[in-house]
Amino acid sequence: LISSYVTPRPTYADTSVKDGDYIMGTGAWSTATDLVYVLDIAAQRINVYTTNINTNSVELVATTDLERAFAR
């Protein structure tokens, strides 16, 4: 008789996805707040979004011009 015990590991949505001019990834602001990062390669901008469970909507948290952010 062979038996095994496997401890379940938590699953994280931390894989980025690229499609066309966009790269999307996830992150956490805190243990209760998740973020979605959307990088627009053509416009050289990154937007950060979160969900608002009170209004059942997606809200823009921050936006940054990457060309300006990485200018020398």
Side-chain angles (χ1 to χ4, degrees):
L1 177 65
I2 299 174
S3 67
S4 66
Y5 177 75
V6 178
T7 304
R9 293 185 298 183
T11 304
Y12 300 101
D14 59 358
T15 303
S16 61
V17 177
K18 181 180 185 300
D19 188 15
D21 288 335
Y22 298 95
I23 299 173
M24 296 176 63
T26 59
W29 188 343
S30 67
T31 57
T33 306
D34 293 323
L35 301 173
V36 175
Y37 297 89
V38 180
L39 175 66
D40 184 340
I41 298 167
Q44 296 185 358
R45 293 196 73 76
I46 188 165
N47 294 334
V48 183
Y49 299 93
T50 190
T51 56
N52 185 331
I53 61 171
N54 297 320
T55 61
N56 199 26
S57 64
V58 176
E59 297 178 352
L60 180 65
V61 174
T63 184
T64 300
D65 180 347
L66 296 175
E67 187 174 1
R68 178 182 255 175
F70 292 102
R72 292 182 182 211

